[in-house]
Amino acid sequence: MAGGAAPVPGALLCALLWAAAAAAGAGGGPGGSPAPGAFGRVYRGAVNISAERVYSFAYSSEPGQVDAVRVYVNSSSENLQYPVLFVVRQQKGVLSWQVPLIFRGLYQRTYNYQEVSRTLCPSEPTPETGPSDQIIFVDVASMAPFNIAYELLVTRLENFQLETNKAFNFTASPSQPQYFLYKFPQDVDSVVIKVVSDAVYPCSVVSVQDIVCPVYDLDHNVEFNGVYQSMTKQAAITVQRKDFPGEQFFVVFVIKPEDYACGGSVPSSIHGNVNRTWNLQRTKNLQVTIVPSIKKSIYVQAMFFSFLSFLSFYLGSVVVAFVHYIRVRRKASAGRLSPEDGSGIMTSSHPITASTPEGSSYGAIDESSSSGGRQLSSPGCGLPAGSDTDSSVEEESDFDTMPEIESDKNVIRTKVFLYLSDLSRKDRRIVSKKYKIYFWNIITIAVFYALPVIQLVITYQTVVNVTGNQDICYYNFLCAHPLGVLSAFNNILSNVGHMLLGFLFLLIVLRRDILHRRAMEMKDVYTLDYGIPKHFGLFYAMGIALMMEGVLSACYHVCPNYSNFQFDTSFMYMIAGLCMLKLYQTRHPDINASAYSAYASFAVVICLAVLGVVFGKNDMWFWVIFSMIHVLASLALSTQIYYMGRFKIDLGIFRRAAMVLYTDCIQQCSRPMYMDRMVLLIVGNLVNWSFAIFGLVYRPRDFASYILGIFICNLLLYLAFYIIMKLRSSEKLLPIPLFCIVATAVVWAAALYFFFQTLSSWEETPAESREKNRPCILLGFFDDHDVWHFLSAAALFFSFLVLLTLDDDLDTVRRDKIPVF
């Protein structure tokens, strides 16, 4: 017979061994009856290749009661070649494992546990009137040629079903996972599972699974079913009744063999010991509490609150417009109407006899004669009324196609004291077209940017819903209220303020634009020669940017994570940049940056922000390069501002810079020609160099916020300089801009307080991020970050109004009396 020795002696030997085991009374043999077992009794024995133990446990369940049984086993063997196998047979399932139980970690490390405890899948409650009998079998076997000792303990769980609003404490380990049952009460449609622990490590996983056997309660399979989160000190999962047809679910708790998934490291004591049995205590004490979530009425209240809060801004704007209209009508009837009347809108075509305010002749030399270019904008000069021109013309030169002014511009800009008439010599229609390009370009950018963003976040949310992996998105899970397919509807709803206030700002700008056009159609010479030139393109772009910030912030909060952080910050960079450009354009309308160069600069900033998040954590070379770019950009921009665009930036810039330093600082150290601009630029460069040094030394992990801080600080510095110079020139702050300035300061201060209340962080692991989670603080629906959304939207709106109304007091002042700074 092929294959070796005769089979009969071997069969006889096996039969004799089984008979001996049965005679010893330790268990049942092949074909024999299993030994009856009692719950709570410890069974000790030994198994080998020729001896198998079978235990039976019987119990009865009361009608409507869910009984769970837990099996504890232990073996002294560390030999992985011959583990002890345990098989538990139930009425509708089989559960098996081996001891030592092997877990695999990072880099193929293995962790072996000799003590294992598992909860058996509970029997379903029966509708019968009487108790139902249940029986389970526990088979113990091994292929070892020698005896291996083991222990067995089977117990019935008394606290298997969790109760609402009642905390339950327990302990778990990698080889002894735990899970419990929860049933929805009749009047509860949604609950929040809150899990806390005093210890950060060991890392654990909390999973919510449907009532299906088998239950996935080991490290290598807990992610196969249901919804799950990794956890250090706290976790929270919102569960809705509609997701579980049986209106009940299991809450599973698994301890991971390693902590790297939660941000920890592998213990140094086991490095190099790949197959050593892991007997150190890796247990974790946990407390679980299941509380009802908010009711549907809270959703309705939160939506009403969000919309009504910002619709009140619309009401306030209507009231202000109506009061202004009444005031203008009264002054018109009294014959005392001024051209602009403090509103920034020219409303009369009657001559003005108002005298120049005291101190408005900025500087010691009277430069009124410098307004010789003013006739370019008067009726009958320049382009005919209503004519149209190619928008490309305005980009060809600083003064369009008028060579005599082109040759004169350097002479004008080198004067010690410049006035607005010196820098507003272009035809107003061409300049307005130039600034409208900002508006049309930002709409194009918004469409092409937003569409793929929306598509991507929908994909993210779908992946979260399908896989159940809640580690993908960094929510504040203690205040994350789902609605439909959205996991955190409150974070999305709170962005409605950006969209509503952005649209309101567009309406306010449109009203001013329409009234200004009406005044221009009356061909009022004072509309052209008085006050700040009215170009609304940048204001329209700012309104669109504010709305898009709301849209993209809402998209980011659909699933906030490391991969889509730039959605939340890109338009913040653009808003800060547009505000600075608008502030500079106010008194430099002819030499402000074009839309193409401005948006190209924003694109470079966004690119640097992405690179900073990718490489800025540990790579010193990136910070060195970024700091050099930052310093050089500050110097180049300072040169452009100081010399009014007359200092060309090309390959000869270093030679020219050396000549300027030699003549102005070494050959004869004289007072700077433009002292005010010099002070601003020195302070600005010190601030930017400080940011660069701070970045090199500390290398902040949140690079996106770091670069946004650079923008905001530069904007605030320039705005403060502008207001100081305005007051220094004896110009006034009218009540509306003064109110907006105060409101901006107060609201920004409150907004920043809530901004720094960090509730999550995609720079850390999901488990570490959840340590920062906090409960809701407003209406039981909104958290600190939602309040930041509300307040930042209002603060940006007031900031825009400051820029829109800041120079309304100059509407009765001739441009050759308005200083440039």
Coordinates of all heavy atoms in Angstrom, one line a residue, residues 181-236:
L181 N -25.1 45.1 24.1 CA -26.3 45.3 23.3 C -27.0 46.6 23.7 O -27.0 46.9 24.9 CB -27.2 44.2 23.4 CG -28.6 44.3 22.8 CD1 -28.5 44.2 21.3 CD2 -29.5 43.2 23.3
Y182 N -27.5 47.3 22.8 CA -28.4 48.5 23.1 C -29.6 48.5 22.2 O -29.5 48.2 21.0 CB -27.6 49.8 22.9 CG -28.4 51.0 23.2 CD1 -28.6 51.5 24.5 CD2 -29.1 51.7 22.2 CE1 -29.4 52.6 24.8 CE2 -29.9 52.9 22.5 CZ -30.0 53.3 23.8 OH -30.8 54.3 24.1
K183 N -30.8 48.7 22.9 CA -32.0 48.8 22.2 C -32.6 50.3 22.3 O -32.5 50.9 23.3 CB -33.1 47.9 22.8 CG -32.7 46.4 22.6 CD -33.9 45.6 23.2 CE -33.6 44.1 23.0 NZ -34.7 43.2 23.6
F184 N -33.1 50.8 21.1 CA -33.6 52.1 21.1 C -34.9 52.2 22.0 O -35.8 51.3 21.8 CB -33.9 52.6 19.7 CG -32.8 53.0 18.9 CD1 -32.1 52.2 18.1 CD2 -32.3 54.3 19.1 CE1 -31.0 52.6 17.3 CE2 -31.2 54.8 18.3 CZ -30.6 53.9 17.5
P185 N -35.0 53.1 22.9 CA -36.3 53.3 23.5 C -37.4 53.8 22.5 O -37.0 54.2 21.4 CB -36.0 54.4 24.6 CG -34.5 54.4 24.7 CD -34.0 54.0 23.4
Q186 N -38.6 53.7 22.9 CA -39.7 54.0 22.0 C -39.7 55.5 21.4 O -40.0 55.7 20.3 CB -41.1 53.7 22.6 CG -41.3 52.3 22.9 CD -41.4 51.5 21.6 OE1 -41.8 52.0 20.5 NE2 -40.9 50.2 21.6
D187 N -39.3 56.4 22.3 CA -39.4 57.8 21.9 C -38.1 58.4 21.5 O -37.9 59.6 21.5 CB -40.0 58.6 23.1 CG -39.1 58.5 24.3 OD1 -38.3 57.5 24.4 OD2 -39.2 59.3 25.3
V188 N -37.1 57.6 21.2 CA -35.7 58.1 20.8 C -35.4 57.6 19.4 O -35.5 56.4 19.1 CB -34.7 57.5 21.8 CG1 -33.3 58.0 21.4 CG2 -35.0 58.1 23.2
D189 N -35.1 58.6 18.6 CA -34.7 58.3 17.2 C -33.2 58.3 16.9 O -32.8 57.8 15.9 CB -35.4 59.2 16.2 CG -36.9 59.1 16.2 OD1 -37.4 57.9 16.4 OD2 -37.6 60.1 16.1
S190 N -32.5 58.9 17.8 CA -31.0 59.0 17.6 C -30.4 59.1 19.0 O -30.9 59.8 19.9 CB -30.7 60.3 16.8 OG -29.3 60.5 16.6
V191 N -29.2 58.5 19.1 CA -28.5 58.5 20.3 C -27.0 58.8 20.0 O -26.5 58.6 18.9 CB -28.6 57.1 21.1 CG1 -30.0 56.9 21.5 CG2 -28.1 56.0 20.2
V192 N -26.3 59.2 21.1 CA -24.9 59.5 21.0 C -24.2 58.5 21.9 O -24.5 58.5 23.1 CB -24.5 60.9 21.3 CG1 -23.0 61.1 21.2 CG2 -25.2 61.9 20.4
I193 N -23.3 57.7 21.4 CA -22.5 56.8 22.3 C -21.2 57.5 22.7 O -20.4 57.8 21.8 CB -22.1 55.5 21.5 CG1 -23.4 54.8 21.0 CG2 -21.3 54.5 22.4 CD1 -23.1 53.7 20.0
K194 N -21.1 57.8 24.0 CA -19.9 58.5 24.5 C -19.0 57.5 25.3 O -19.5 56.9 26.2 CB -20.3 59.7 25.4 CG -21.2 60.7 24.6 CD -21.5 61.9 25.6 CE -22.4 62.9 24.8 NZ -22.8 64.0 25.7
V195 N -17.8 57.4 24.9 CA -16.8 56.5 25.5 C -15.7 57.4 26.0 O -15.1 58.2 25.3 CB -16.3 55.5 24.6 CG1 -15.5 54.4 25.3 CG2 -17.5 54.8 23.9
V196 N -15.3 57.2 27.3 CA -14.2 58.0 27.9 C -13.3 57.0 28.6 O -13.7 55.9 29.0 CB -14.7 59.1 28.8 CG1 -15.5 60.1 28.1 CG2 -15.5 58.5 30.0
S197 N -12.0 57.4 28.8 CA -11.0 56.6 29.5 C -10.0 57.6 30.1 O -9.7 58.7 29.5 CB -10.3 55.7 28.6 OG -9.3 55.0 29.3
D198 N -9.5 57.3 31.3 CA -8.5 58.1 32.0 C -7.2 58.0 31.3 O -6.4 58.9 31.4 CB -8.5 57.8 33.4 CG -9.8 58.1 34.2 OD1 -10.5 59.0 33.7 OD2 -10.0 57.4 35.2
A199 N -6.9 56.9 30.7 CA -5.6 56.7 30.1 C -5.6 56.9 28.6 O -6.6 56.6 27.9 CB -5.2 55.2 30.4
V200 N -4.6 57.5 28.1 CA -4.5 57.7 26.6 C -4.2 56.4 25.9 O -4.9 56.1 24.9 CB -3.3 58.7 26.3 CG1 -3.1 58.9 24.8 CG2 -3.6 60.0 27.0
Y201 N -3.3 55.6 26.4 CA -3.0 54.3 25.8 C -3.3 53.2 26.7 O -3.4 53.4 27.9 CB -1.5 54.3 25.3 CG -1.2 55.4 24.3 CD1 -0.3 56.4 24.7 CD2 -1.7 55.4 23.1 CE1 0.1 57.4 23.8 CE2 -1.4 56.4 22.2 CZ -0.5 57.4 22.5 OH -0.2 58.4 21.6
P202 N -3.6 52.0 26.2 CA -3.4 51.5 24.9 C -4.5 52.1 23.9 O -5.6 52.4 24.4 CB -3.5 50.0 25.0 CG -4.3 49.8 26.2 CD -4.0 50.9 27.1
C203 N -4.2 52.1 22.6 CA -5.1 52.6 21.6 C -6.3 51.6 21.5 O -6.1 50.3 21.6 CB -4.4 52.7 20.3 SG -5.4 53.1 18.9
S204 N -7.4 52.1 21.3 CA -8.6 51.2 21.2 C -9.5 51.6 20.0 O -9.3 52.7 19.4 CB -9.4 51.3 22.5 OG -9.7 52.6 22.8
V205 N -10.4 50.8 19.7 CA -11.4 51.0 18.6 C -12.8 50.8 19.2 O -13.1 49.8 19.9 CB -11.1 50.0 17.4 CG1 -12.2 50.2 16.4 CG2 -9.8 50.3 16.8
V206 N -13.7 51.7 18.9 CA -15.1 51.6 19.2 C -15.9 51.4 17.9 O -15.7 52.1 17.0 CB -15.6 52.9 19.9 CG1 -17.1 52.7 20.3 CG2 -14.7 53.2 21.2
S207 N -16.7 50.3 17.9 CA -17.4 50.0 16.7 C -18.9 49.8 17.0 O -19.2 49.3 18.1 CB -16.9 48.7 16.1 OG -17.6 48.2 15.0
V208 N -19.7 50.2 16.1 CA -21.2 50.0 16.2 C -21.6 49.0 15.1 O -21.4 49.3 13.9 CB -22.0 51.3 16.1 CG1 -23.5 51.0 16.1 CG2 -21.6 52.2 17.2
Q209 N -22.1 47.8 15.4 CA -22.5 46.8 14.4 C -23.9 46.4 14.6 O -24.5 46.4 15.7 CB -21.5 45.6 14.6 CG -20.0 46.0 14.5 CD -19.1 44.8 14.6 OE1 -19.6 43.6 14.5 NE2 -17.9 45.0 14.9
D210 N -24.5 45.9 13.5 CA -25.8 45.4 13.5 C -25.9 44.1 14.2 O -24.9 43.4 14.4 CB -26.3 45.3 12.1 CG -27.8 45.2 12.0 OD1 -28.5 45.3 13.0 OD2 -28.4 45.1 10.8
I211 N -27.1 43.7 14.6 CA -27.3 42.4 15.3 C -27.2 41.3 14.3 O -28.1 40.7 13.8 CB -28.7 42.4 16.0 CG1 -28.8 43.6 16.9 CG2 -28.8 41.1 16.8 CD1 -27.8 43.7 18.0
V212 N -25.9 40.9 14.0 CA -25.6 39.9 13.1 C -24.5 39.1 13.6 O -23.5 39.6 14.2 CB -25.2 40.4 11.7 CG1 -24.9 39.3 10.7 CG2 -26.4 41.2 11.1
C213 N -24.5 37.7 13.5 CA -23.4 36.9 13.9 C -22.7 36.4 12.7 O -23.2 36.1 11.7 CB -24.0 35.7 14.7 SG -24.8 36.1 16.3
P214 N -21.3 36.3 12.8 CA -20.5 36.6 14.0 C -20.3 38.1 14.2 O -20.4 38.9 13.3 CB -19.2 35.9 13.7 CG -19.1 36.0 12.2 CD -20.5 35.9 11.7
V215 N -20.0 38.4 15.5 CA -19.6 39.8 15.8 C -18.1 40.0 15.6 O -17.3 39.1 16.0 CB -20.0 40.1 17.3 CG1 -19.6 41.5 17.6 CG2 -21.4 39.9 17.5
Y216 N -17.7 41.0 14.9 CA -16.3 41.2 14.6 C -15.7 42.0 15.7 O -15.8 43.2 15.8 CB -16.2 42.0 13.2 CG -16.7 41.2 12.1 CD1 -18.0 41.5 11.6 CD2 -16.0 40.2 11.5 CE1 -18.5 40.8 10.5 CE2 -16.5 39.5 10.4 CZ -17.7 39.8 9.9 OH -18.2 39.1 8.9
D217 N -15.0 41.3 16.6 CA -14.5 41.9 17.8 C -13.0 41.7 18.0 O -12.5 41.7 19.2 CB -15.2 41.4 19.0 CG -15.1 39.9 19.2 OD1 -14.6 39.2 18.3 OD2 -15.5 39.4 20.3
L218 N -12.2 41.5 17.0 CA -10.8 41.3 17.1 C -10.1 42.4 16.2 O -10.7 43.0 15.3 CB -10.3 40.0 16.6 CG -10.7 38.8 17.5 CD1 -10.2 37.5 16.9 CD2 -10.2 38.9 18.9
D219 N -8.9 42.7 16.5 CA -8.2 43.8 15.9 C -8.1 43.7 14.3 O -8.3 44.6 13.6 CB -6.7 43.9 16.4 CG -5.9 44.9 15.6 OD1 -6.3 46.1 15.7 OD2 -4.9 44.5 15.0
H220 N -8.0 42.5 13.8 CA -7.9 42.3 12.4 C -9.2 42.2 11.6 O -9.2 42.2 10.4 CB -7.1 41.0 12.1 CG -7.8 39.7 12.5 ND1 -7.6 39.2 13.8 CD2 -8.7 38.9 11.9 CE1 -8.4 38.1 13.9 NE2 -9.0 37.9 12.8
N221 N -10.3 42.2 12.4 CA -11.6 42.2 11.6 C -12.7 43.2 12.1 O -13.8 43.2 11.6 CB -12.2 40.8 11.7 CG -12.5 40.3 13.1 OD1 -12.6 41.1 14.1 ND2 -12.7 39.0 13.3
V222 N -12.3 44.0 13.1 CA -13.3 44.9 13.7 C -13.8 46.0 12.6 O -14.8 46.5 12.8 CB -12.7 45.6 14.9 CG1 -11.6 46.6 14.5 CG2 -13.8 46.4 15.7
E223 N -12.9 46.2 11.6 CA -13.3 47.2 10.6 C -14.1 46.6 9.5 O -14.4 47.3 8.5 CB -12.0 47.8 10.0 CG -11.2 48.5 11.1 CD -9.8 49.0 10.5 OE1 -9.6 48.8 9.3 OE2 -9.1 49.6 11.3
F224 N -14.5 45.3 9.6 CA -15.2 44.7 8.5 C -16.7 45.1 8.4 O -17.3 44.9 7.4 CB -15.1 43.2 8.6 CG -13.7 42.6 8.3 CD1 -13.4 41.3 8.4 CD2 -12.7 43.5 7.8 CE1 -12.1 40.8 8.1 CE2 -11.4 43.0 7.6 CZ -11.1 41.7 7.7
N225 N -17.2 45.5 9.5 CA -18.7 45.7 9.6 C -19.0 46.9 10.5 O -18.3 47.2 11.5 CB -19.3 44.5 10.1 CG -20.8 44.6 10.1 OD1 -21.4 45.3 9.2 ND2 -21.5 43.8 10.9
G226 N -20.0 47.7 10.1 CA -20.5 48.7 10.9 C -19.7 50.0 10.8 O -19.0 50.3 9.9
V227 N -19.9 50.9 11.9 CA -19.2 52.2 12.0 C -18.2 52.1 13.1 O -18.5 51.5 14.1 CB -20.2 53.3 12.3 CG1 -19.6 54.6 12.4 CG2 -21.3 53.3 11.2
Y228 N -17.0 52.7 12.9 CA -16.0 52.5 13.9 C -15.1 53.8 14.0 O -15.0 54.6 13.0 CB -15.1 51.3 13.6 CG -14.4 51.3 12.3 CD1 -13.1 51.9 12.2 CD2 -14.9 50.8 11.2 CE1 -12.4 51.9 11.0 CE2 -14.3 50.8 10.0 CZ -13.0 51.4 9.9 OH -12.3 51.4 8.7
Q229 N -14.5 54.0 15.2 CA -13.6 55.1 15.4 C -12.4 54.5 16.3 O -12.6 53.7 17.1 CB -14.2 56.2 16.2 CG -15.3 57.0 15.5 CD -15.9 58.0 16.4 OE1 -15.5 58.2 17.6 NE2 -16.9 58.7 15.9
S230 N -11.2 55.1 16.0 CA -10.1 54.8 16.9 C -10.2 55.8 18.1 O -10.8 56.8 18.0 CB -8.8 55.0 16.2 OG -8.7 56.3 15.6
M231 N -9.6 55.4 19.2 CA -9.8 56.2 20.4 C -8.6 56.2 21.3 O -7.9 55.1 21.5 CB -11.0 55.6 21.2 CG -11.2 56.2 22.6 SD -12.5 55.3 23.5 CE -12.2 55.9 25.1
T232 N -8.3 57.3 21.9 CA -7.3 57.4 23.0 C -8.1 57.6 24.4 O -8.2 56.7 25.2 CB -6.3 58.5 22.8 OG1 -7.0 59.7 22.5 CG2 -5.4 58.1 21.6
K233 N -8.5 58.9 24.6 CA -9.2 59.2 25.8 C -10.7 59.4 25.7 O -11.4 59.3 26.7 CB -8.6 60.5 26.4 CG -7.2 60.3 26.8 CD -6.7 61.6 27.5 CE -7.2 61.7 28.9 NZ -6.6 62.8 29.7
Q234 N -11.2 59.7 24.5 CA -12.6 59.8 24.3 C -13.0 59.5 22.8 O -12.2 59.7 21.9 CB -13.1 61.2 24.8 CG -12.7 62.3 23.9 CD -13.4 63.6 24.4 OE1 -14.2 63.7 25.3 NE2 -13.1 64.7 23.7
A235 N -14.3 59.1 22.7 CA -14.9 58.9 21.4 C -16.4 59.1 21.5 O -16.9 59.1 22.6 CB -14.6 57.5 20.9
A236 N -16.9 59.5 20.4 CA -18.4 59.7 20.3 C -18.9 59.3 18.9 O -18.4 59.7 17.9 CB -18.7 61.2 20.6

